[in-house]
């Protein structure tokens, strides 16, 4: 592991100043002081540049931001402003996109088990298309059309191309053994095309596939695109969507293809497969991951002689589930001196009641690390806040966007009140200690 944090992992506006590392023109230690920790910090310029690079590579209307990677009102608005479509995978994500003012015809709806309410809302609002995943979903769309008079839905059909890619079983989605989509195998996808084309409730717009996530080899993504392009050409589809999946570097030494590399690989592959039409991609991680980082405060440093050192911070698996879920690896650095040598080896852990609550298993840190220091884990902008939970009743962190020396809260930190918001029982009356009266007993008091 290198002695200093690799700049390739940091947001693009990151710069070292006398007081430490700044992003968007604001010192990270200053952000921790002002907004508290744990804190998600996004470099707004970086987010916008990534959106523009994607549009430059795939063309206007060629990019849908996969909002599940990181969604809030500000992010939906940013992606829309930069010319991206928005891919939503539930009624809740649709709600946020609409709240942000994204027009319905800039939104596409995904999901392997959309319920009737989600379909009703999306079709009534007039989303650009619904990516239909199953025959049961077709039943629901036809029922809504026949019994409630909903207009015919524009649809793309999700195909399982029999090609899976990605860094972990849980994010490999394109294989034949998958909950997603109509299999190319056995003619299932072809039957789905026939049914959609003949249905008065559906307008068949295209074919869609998504083979996996965190793919660092552009050739793997191209192979997935080729498989579905061949099918799209055969059935005469109007449009082809090849999903997301472009990986990012999480650790020093990893390299990810650029959007231009991805576009070149996909274009060559789909042409080779006989597809001459337009292609849409759905990047999530590759838009948001490196723009974001998480700030934590060190609370406890435990040195176990001859074993290892544990550094505990004030967040953990409730704000970054990926290490526990996928064994994902991260790096960490000390924003007050980002260029310092990092000879201390330690396990960076959270504050949850689980031994698996690990953020960085084998972290390299400066020797003078002390309690109350602010630490930063880079590349947490995707599938971090999006997967955050209230485990152990930790309030979820705030999210701030930084740009040109200014920081603005886009999602506020949860409070203890938020943690009780859904509990129906009111606060306990703090009765004076004394004999307990049975709740059911008639005390004679007026009710
Ligand atoms: C998750 C997902 C994406 C985004 O994947 P990334 O790896 O984050 O780019 C795109 N399309 C679909 C259908 C997805 O399920």
């Amino acid at each position: 592991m290198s002695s200093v944090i690799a700049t390739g992992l940091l947001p693009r506006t990151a710069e070292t100043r006398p007081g430490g590392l700044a992003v968007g023109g604001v010192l990270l230690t200053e952000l921790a002081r002002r907004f508290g920790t744990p804190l998600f910090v996004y470099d707004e310029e970086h987010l916008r540049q990534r959106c523009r690079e994607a549009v430059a590579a795939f063309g206007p209307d060629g990019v849908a931001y996969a909002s599940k990677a990181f969604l809030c009102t500000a992010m939906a608005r940013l992606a829309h402003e930069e010319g991206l479509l928005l891919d939503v995978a539930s009624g809740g994500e649709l709600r946020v996109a609409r709240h942000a003012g994204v027009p319905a015809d800039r939104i596409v709806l995904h999901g392997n088990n959309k319920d009737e309410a989600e379909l009703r809302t999306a079709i009534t609002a007039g989303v650009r298309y619904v990516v239909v995943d199953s025959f049961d979903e077709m039943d629901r769309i036809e029922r809504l059309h026949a019994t409630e008079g909903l207009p015919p839905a524009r649809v793309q059909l999700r195909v399982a191309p029999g090609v899976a890619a990605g860094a972990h079983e849980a994010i490999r989605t394109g294989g034949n053994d998958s909950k997603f989509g109509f299999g190319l195998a056995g003619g299932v996808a072809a039957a789905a095309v026939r049914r959609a084309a003949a249905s008065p409730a559906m307008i068949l717009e295209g074919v869609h596939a998504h083979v996996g996530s965190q793919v660092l080899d552009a050739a793997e993504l191209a192979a997935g695109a080729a498989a579905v392009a061949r099918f799209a050409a055969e059935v005469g589809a109007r449009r082809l969507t090849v999903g997301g999946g472009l990986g990012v570097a999480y650790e020093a030494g990893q390299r990810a293809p650029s959007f231009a590399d991805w576009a070149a690989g996909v274009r060559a592959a789909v042409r080779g497969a006989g597809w001459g039409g337009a292609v849409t991609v759905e990047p999530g991680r590759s838009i948001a991951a490196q723009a974001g980082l998480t700030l934590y405060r060190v609370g406890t440093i435990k040195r176990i002689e001859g074993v290892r050192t544990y550094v505990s911070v004030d967040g953990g698996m409730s704000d970054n589930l990926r290490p526990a879920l996928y064994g994902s690896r991260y790096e960490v650095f000390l924003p007050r001196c980002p260029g310092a040598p990092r000879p201390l080896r330690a396990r960076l852990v959270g504050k949850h009641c689980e031994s698996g609550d690990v953020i960085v298993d084998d972290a390299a840190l400066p020797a003078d690390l002390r309690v109350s220091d602010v630490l930063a884990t880079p590349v947490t902008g995707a599938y971090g806040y999006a997967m955050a939970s209230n485990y152990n009743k930790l309030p979820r962190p705030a999210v701030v966007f930084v740009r040109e020396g200014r920081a603005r809260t886009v999602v506020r930190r949860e409070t203890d009140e938020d943690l009780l918001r859904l509990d129906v029982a009111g606060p306990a009356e703090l009765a004076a200690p004394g004999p307990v009266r049975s709740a059911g007993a008639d005390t004679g008091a007026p009710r």
Side-chain angles (χ1 to χ4, degrees):
M1 202 172 289
S2 67
S3 64
V4 298
I5 189 75
T7 52
L9 301 178
L10 299 177
R12 290 196 185 156
T13 67
E15 51 171 345
T16 303
R17 293 184 171 183
L21 196 90
V23 173
V26 191
L27 282 174
L28 295 180
T29 47
E30 168 69 10
L31 289 170
R33 199 185 54 72
R34 263 176 67 195
F35 297 97
T37 52
L39 184 70
F40 283 93
V41 178
Y42 283 84
D43 179 351
E44 186 173 343
E45 192 52 40
H46 185 130
L47 283 174
R48 290 186 184 276
Q49 284 181 15
R50 288 302 277 168
C51 290
R52 286 175 206 154
E53 286 165 17
V55 171
F58 290 96
D61 294 355
V63 188
Y65 170 59
S67 69
K68 70 173 191 268
F70 167 58
L71 180 63
C72 61
T73 304
M75 184 62 205
R77 206 165 275 162
L78 183 153
H80 174 60
E81 283 167 3
E82 294 299 340
L84 278 60
L85 302 166
L86 233 72
D87 147 1
V88 300
S90 71
E93 290 182 354
L94 175 59
R95 173 84 203 272
V96 174
R98 296 291 282 150
H99 178 75
V102 180
D105 73 349
R106 303 297 295 170
I107 298 174
V108 303
L109 176 67
H110 286 271
N112 70 299
N113 187 24
K114 308 172 195 74
D115 63 26
E116 215 169 78
E118 290 172 317
L119 291 167
R120 181 184 296 113
T121 305
I123 296 167
T124 306
V127 296
R128 192 175 194 87
Y129 49 83
V130 174
V131 180
V132 173
D133 212 284
S134 69
F135 291 112
D136 292 316
E137 183 177 343
M138 288 190 181
D139 291 345
R140 286 194 274 278
I141 290 173
E142 289 183 333
R143 196 158 57 233
L144 287 168
H145 178 68
T147 65
E148 298 184 19
L150 259 61
R154 289 182 294 272
V155 302
Q156 292 201 352
L157 299 185
R158 170 84 179 247
V159 162
V163 178
H168 189 276
E169 174 68 27
I171 53 175
R172 295 163 71 91
T173 54
N176 195 44
D177 181 1
S178 169
K179 72 171 182 173
F180 296 103
F182 302 99
L184 284 188
V188 180
V193 168
R194 284 195 298 276
R195 175 163 167 192
S199 172
M202 288 177 266
I203 301 165
L204 183 56
E205 296 267 318
V207 170
H208 174 286
H210 169 74
V211 294
S213 198
Q214 182 51 12
V215 183
L216 289 172
D217 180 355
E220 273 188 60
L221 290 170
V228 65
R230 204 165 296 122
F231 176 73
E234 267 167 34
V235 300
R238 297 232 304 268
R239 281 200 77 90
L240 171 62
T241 303
V242 299
L246 185 68
V248 301
Y250 282 98
E251 293 181 284
Q254 284 185 317
R255 266 192 57 82
S258 66
F259 283 127
D261 294 339
W262 186 21
V266 164
R267 231 170 250 135
V270 302
R271 295 290 175 263
W275 174 259
V279 174
T280 300
V281 290
E282 300 169 331
R285 186 190 314 271
S286 53
I287 295 284
Q290 289 198 339
L293 50 76
T294 310
L295 301 181
Y296 299 104
R297 203 171 283 281
V298 175
T300 305
I301 301 175
K302 174 181 178 180
R303 294 190 171 82
I304 309 173
E305 208 41 57
V307 181
R308 74 171 80 242
T309 296
Y310 282 88
V311 174
S312 299
V313 294
D314 50 359
M317 63 193 294
S318 56
D319 59 73
N320 189 354
L321 189 59
R322 296 187 67 255
L325 193 59
Y326 312 127
S328 305
R329 294 164 58 89
Y330 285 85
E331 296 211 20
V332 59
F333 67 96
L334 188 59
R336 70 172 159 85
C337 51
R342 301 188 294 166
L344 170 66
R345 310 310 290 252
R347 180 171 286 171
L348 184 72
V349 297
K351 62 179 286 158
H352 293 280
C353 305
E354 306 254 346
S355 292
D357 176 27
V358 173
I359 303 169
V360 185
D361 187 55
D362 188 18
L365 289 160
D368 70 340
L369 181 76
R370 52 187 185 246
V371 167
S372 90
D373 261 336
V374 172
L375 285 175
T377 49
V379 207
T380 57
Y383 305 109
Y385 191 80
M387 289 184 170
S389 77
N390 289 127
Y391 183 39
N392 286 136
K393 291 292 186 212
L394 260 61
R396 281 177 296 180
V399 182
V400 300
F401 278 17
V402 288
R403 189 185 197 187
E404 291 174 355
R406 306 171 87 95
R408 62 182 171 118
T409 305
V410 298
V411 184
R412 71 160 171 80
R413 183 178 304 283
E414 283 180 330
T415 62
D416 287 357
E417 285 309 306
D418 291 320
L419 298 177
L420 288 166
R421 204 175 43 195
L422 305 181
D423 286 24
V424 174
E429 280 165 38
L430 295 177
V436 176
R437 277 192 308 198
S438 156
D442 187 348
T443 59
R447 301 268 165 116

